[in-house]
Amino acid sequence: MVNLLITLLQNACVIIVFCYVLTRTRFFNEILERRFTRENKLWLILCCGLFSIYGTVGGMEILGAFANIRDLGPAIAGLLAGPLVGVGAGLIGALHRLFLGGFTAVPCTISTILAGFLAGLVFLAGKKRVPSLWVASGFAGAMEILHMGFVLLISKPYEEALALVKTVALPMIFANALGMAAFFFITKNLINELKTRSEKNLIEGELRGAREIQMSIVPHIYPPFPDIENIDLHAKLVPAKEVGGDLYDYYLLDENKNQLFFMVGDVSDKGVPASLFMIITMTLFKANTRAGEELGPVVERINNQLAADNKSNMFVTLFCAVLNIETGEMRYVNAGHNPPLLIRKDRNPEFIPTTGDLVLGCMPDMAYTAKTLNLNPSDTLFLYTDGVTEAFNSEQELFSETRLLDIARKTRNLSAKDGIDDAYDAIWQFTNGAAQSDDITMLMLRY
């Protein structure tokens, strides 16, 4: 009995290889996804039928009969795809067993076909879902008990049939149940993997859609004001994830095209929540900013709107300004954001003095003060988020404000687009393939 059990368990181990091979096939994945076609059903019949033959060939001849795991093939087919598939696989294994002959040929043939049919009924009873490991292994064990009953009922002489059943019953019940458990353990893991992959693809698709929406909200047509000769403006936003929390915007506030509003900001979080907060922030500025109105009170009003019912506790750092295109006078507010660079024609680049104001959305009823800066012809403003200065390379070094100043010196005589492109190329070369840790946003305005 020990040798028989070892032989049957060795054959059962082949199921693991059999299952692995099946999981790498298109037709098997279609069946697990409940997408039945004539083609994949025929493939399953063939594979499980051949496995049933192997169950016989790989078994042990004992007392004029074959101890085996033959019934597993049609049982697997029936449990996965229903009675017709189970019977189809059973016929292949049964005809082979009938051809071998012996005094148990008839009951073994019947039980092999019946294994596929009954497994198919279990499939239908389970509403065509893949059964659990316990149901499948329990069915396999019960099927072998039924198999032994057929042998006792049909095989003659009875004394030889009884001796055979006493010898092979327990090893066959155990080996078939264990083999079925191994198969459906692997199958269930594959189902979970397919489900996870499907959910991942769905999420990625939604994130791609969110990214497209986000990128369509920020302006991206250049030059933005082709009929205004004394303004050269360009911007770039590169999210670290599919969607991010950085933002930039610019638009004219009056019909005379004399007042230009522009801003760059960075939401405290990342991903979809940050992108929603970013969109709200941009929308509020467009709804509240008017030509001729002081910038400080506008920012105060927007801060109160962002802080109201802000259960997510997100906030946004932001630099915004209104430029008088005719005179070069610029009024600006810096709400906890990185200080932009002022690149004058005949001086070294310098950081614009901050207004010392708090980030937006954190606390209501805060005062915001606007400061004034005068731009001269050929002066350039360079706005950015901390994804620029805090970009890491593989040695965990920061790009830093020092490197940013070096880049700013080189962009003095470049157009806004070329300046942005050169700055981004410098960051890319510095990071040298290291994963982007934060959103990168830059806006350059040349007056």
Side-chain angles (χ1 to χ4, degrees), residues 179-226:
M180 185 69 85
F183 183 92
F184 275 89
F185 176 77
I186 296 174
T187 301
K188 282 292 186 179
N189 284 336
L190 176 61
I191 292 172
N192 292 333
E193 179 185 329
L194 292 174
K195 182 179 178 182
T196 301
R197 188 187 307 165
S198 176
E199 292 173 349
K200 178 175 179 290
N201 291 338
L202 178 62
I203 292 172
E204 288 178 348
E206 291 177 346
L207 288 176
R208 282 193 297 270
R211 181 189 179 99
E212 291 174 1
I213 293 172
Q214 181 187 26
M215 298 307 293
S216 68
I217 289 174
V218 296
H220 56 277
I221 298 176
Y222 299 101
F225 313 111

Side-chain angles (χ1 to χ4, degrees), residues 23 49 61 87 99-100 109-110 117 123 126 144 157 181 190 207 280 296 308 333 336 338 342 358 383-384 436 446:
T23 60
E61 188 172 354
V87 170
F99 176 78
L100 294 177
T109 299
I110 295 173
F117 177 72
F123 169 83
E144 289 314 299
L190 176 61
L207 288 176
I280 292 171
V333 172
N338 302 76
L342 174 61
L358 189 67
L383 283 63
Y384 58 94
Q436 185 178 334
R446 187 174 176 84

Side-chain angles (χ1 to χ4, degrees), residues 22 25-45 47-48 76-82 85 123 128-130 183 187 190-191 194:
L22 276 182
T25 62
R26 175 181 57 84
F27 84 85
F28 190 73
N29 286 311
E30 290 175 352
I31 286 173
L32 293 185
E33 292 170 356
R34 310 290 87 183
R35 293 187 289 120
F36 297 108
T37 65
R38 180 181 299 177
E39 181 185 16
N40 58 37
K41 286 182 178 181
L42 288 174
W43 274 111
L44 188 61
I45 289 172
C47 289
C48 290
I76 288 171
L79 290 173
L80 290 176
V85 177
F123 169 83
K128 299 184 179 182
R129 291 191 294 263
V130 176
F183 183 92
T187 301
L190 176 61
I191 292 172
L194 292 174

Side-chain angles (χ1 to χ4, degrees), residues 20-173:
Y20 177 81
V21 173
L22 276 182
T23 60
R24 296 303 179 263
T25 62
R26 175 181 57 84
F27 84 85
F28 190 73
N29 286 311
E30 290 175 352
I31 286 173
L32 293 185
E33 292 170 356
R34 310 290 87 183
R35 293 187 289 120
F36 297 108
T37 65
R38 180 181 299 177
E39 181 185 16
N40 58 37
K41 286 182 178 181
L42 288 174
W43 274 111
L44 188 61
I45 289 172
L46 179 61
C47 289
C48 290
L50 292 177
F51 179 72
S52 182
I53 292 175
Y54 169 80
T56 301
V57 174
M60 176 181 289
E61 188 172 354
I62 183 169
L63 299 178
F66 296 92
N68 56 78
I69 56 170
R70 178 180 57 254
D71 294 346
L72 277 183
I76 288 171
L79 290 173
L80 290 176
L84 288 177
V85 177
V87 170
L91 284 171
I92 295 174
L95 289 174
H96 173 262
R97 173 63 189 91
L98 186 63
F99 176 78
L100 294 177
F103 81 104
T104 62
V106 173
C108 289
T109 299
I110 295 173
S111 67
T112 301
I113 298 172
L114 197 59
F117 177 72
L118 294 178
L121 295 183
V122 172
F123 169 83
L124 295 177
K127 298 181 180 179
K128 299 184 179 182
R129 291 191 294 263
V130 176
S132 68
L133 182 150
W134 299 109
V135 169
S137 59
F139 174 82
M143 190 62 233
E144 289 314 299
I145 294 174
L146 183 62
H147 188 155
M148 296 301 107
F150 280 129
V151 170
L152 291 175
L153 184 65
I154 299 174
S155 297
K156 302 297 180 183
Y158 176 78
E159 291 76 12
E160 292 183 14
L162 180 61
L164 176 65
V165 168
K166 288 181 178 179
T167 304
V168 304
L170 288 179
M172 284 183 61
I173 292 170

Side-chain angles (χ1 to χ4, degrees), residues 387-401 403 427 429-432 434-435 437:
V388 172
T389 53
E390 296 178 4
F392 285 95
N393 62 15
S394 55
E395 283 75 37
Q396 297 299 302
E397 297 174 324
L398 292 174
F399 187 74
S400 75
E401 293 179 347
R403 289 185 177 86
I427 297 168
Q429 292 173 12
F430 172 79
T431 56
N432 193 28
S437 59

Side-chain angles (χ1 to χ4, degrees), residues 348-407:
N348 285 326
E350 57 185 1
F351 292 103
I352 296 176
T354 181
T355 57
D357 292 314
L358 189 67
V359 298
L360 300 180
C362 184
M363 188 178 300
D365 301 324
M366 298 298 297
Y368 289 84
T369 305
K371 288 188 176 182
T372 302
L373 179 70
N374 290 309
L375 298 182
N376 301 317
S378 298
D379 285 350
T380 300
L381 287 173
F382 184 24
L383 283 63
Y384 58 94
T385 58
D386 57 9
V388 172
T389 53
E390 296 178 4
F392 285 95
N393 62 15
S394 55
E395 283 75 37
Q396 297 299 302
E397 297 174 324
L398 292 174
F399 187 74
S400 75
E401 293 179 347
T402 301
R403 289 185 177 86
L404 184 62
L405 286 168
D406 291 338
I407 293 299

